[in-house]
Amino acid sequence: MILDVVRINTYYGRSHILFDVSLRLQSQEVVALLGRNGAGKTTTFRSIMGLTPPRDGHIFYEGSEISGKPPHLVAKMGIGWVPEDRRVFPSLTVLENLQVAKKQAPKGWDASREWDYEAIFEVFPVLERLASRKAGRLSGGEQQMLSIARTLMGNPKLLLLDEPTEGLAPLVVRSIGGVIMKLKQERVTMLLSEQNAKFSLGISDRVYIVDEGRVVYEGTTTELKQAPGVMKRFLAV
């Protein structure tokens, strides 16, 4: 078990946002956290990363509790987060964005699977062609790819992808999907939050649905595809 979130309750001030949220993730698994806008997906990620620590409940990473640890220690332990707003450095080139993110792999990491420039450009060939371009001049899809690639340069064992297709055109969404499938083939462990159920069901192994801060469904991708009532009720699909 690489990640075990156990009945966390998270607040923004006095507002109770997450209610007893639990989820699990095995190594090399791709799990989707689905839900409408405002359902609690990003707050779940912020709770895991320590940006908005839960008031109670527990979060375990590789068997060690990380609840309440500061974000930089969570990242150092091997969890990488690709935020919804991408946060590339616009005045730096693509290559410089990758350079500043380069970190030594966490303890116990398989050295043969470390991410370097060669490995990044193999998965993201478009970034190699754009290596000298300022990140602020990239398209939305290119910035999203750079954001994912930059996080991978930190050699995370677990990758959190927050709304990777948000605001992107359908053609670009397919490109992002292709990148994530390549990462899956590279055995990258991923937890992704999405409103786009169709996109997620083509990538993930298992699914959680969160609604109004509560996990309302858990199952395999195949099981959810066979439950149209659940999808219609909670995902409007």
Side-chain angles (χ1 to χ4, degrees):
M1 188 72 61
I2 191 168
L3 182 69
D4 191 6
V5 178
V6 185
R7 298 179 65 86
I8 62 169
N9 287 269
T10 302
Y11 294 71
Y12 290 131
R14 295 183 178 180
S15 299
H16 195 169
I17 306 300
L18 299 183
F19 300 82
D20 291 329
V21 167
S22 297
L23 59 87
R24 289 184 165 191
L25 196 65
Q26 299 281 357
S27 181
Q28 300 181 23
E29 196 176 28
V30 178
V31 173
L33 183 63
L34 302 180
R36 298 184 179 93
N37 187 36
K41 304 185 300 299
T42 294
T43 303
T44 300
F45 279 20
R46 291 180 61 87
S47 297
I48 293 169
M49 291 303 301
L51 291 161
T52 309
R55 289 194 188 173
D56 56 69
H58 304 276
I59 303 173
F60 298 94
Y61 171 70
E62 293 193 317
S64 298
E65 183 153 15
I66 60 172
S67 310
K69 287 187 180 295
H72 72 277
L73 288 183
V74 175
K76 188 175 181 180
M77 291 175 72
I79 302 180
W81 181 34
V82 181
E84 180 182 355
D85 54 5
R86 298 161 195 157
R87 300 183 193 176
V88 297
F89 299 114
S91 63
L92 299 183
T93 67
V94 167
L95 187 60
E96 288 168 342
N97 267 271
L98 296 176
Q99 288 171 337
V100 299
K102 178 64 176 172
K103 291 190 303 186
Q104 186 176 3
K107 187 177 179 180
W109 187 232
D110 181 358
S112 67
R113 296 177 59 201
E114 287 193 31
W115 290 93
D116 56 19
Y117 300 115
E118 182 179 355
I120 287 293
F121 292 145
E122 185 175 340
V123 175
F124 303 88
V126 65
L127 296 183
E128 184 173 20
R129 295 195 297 271
L130 298 170
S132 61
R133 183 173 296 184
K134 295 287 181 69
R137 295 180 55 219
L138 301 179
S139 68
E142 291 163 349
Q143 287 188 356
Q144 183 63 278
M145 291 185 188
L146 177 57
S147 184
I148 296 171
R150 188 181 61 183
T151 303
L152 289 172
M153 287 294 285
N155 284 294
K157 293 184 181 179
L158 169 61
L159 186 64
L160 308 182
L161 293 166
D162 194 1
E163 302 281 4
T165 68
E166 177 69 20
L168 300 179
L171 185 62
V172 181
V173 169
R174 286 197 291 273
S175 296
I176 296 295
V179 165
I180 295 176
M181 285 303 296
K182 286 182 181 178
L183 296 179
K184 185 175 182 177
Q185 292 164 6
E186 294 288 336
R187 299 179 294 158
V188 177
T189 307
M190 290 177 278
L191 176 64
L192 64 113
S193 78
E194 264 293 345
Q195 296 182 58
N196 188 333
K198 182 179 179 181
F199 172 84
S200 301
L201 293 177
I203 293 171
S204 57
D205 303 306
R206 290 191 301 110
V207 175
Y208 291 88
I209 297 177
V210 63
D211 187 63
E212 296 183 348
R214 293 177 169 84
V215 173
V216 294
Y217 180 86
E218 174 188 355
T220 67
T221 301
T222 300
E223 289 169 343
L224 181 56
K225 288 178 178 177
Q226 296 171 350
V230 173
M231 295 181 68
K232 183 176 181 180
R233 179 180 178 184
F234 295 113
L235 303 174
V237 175

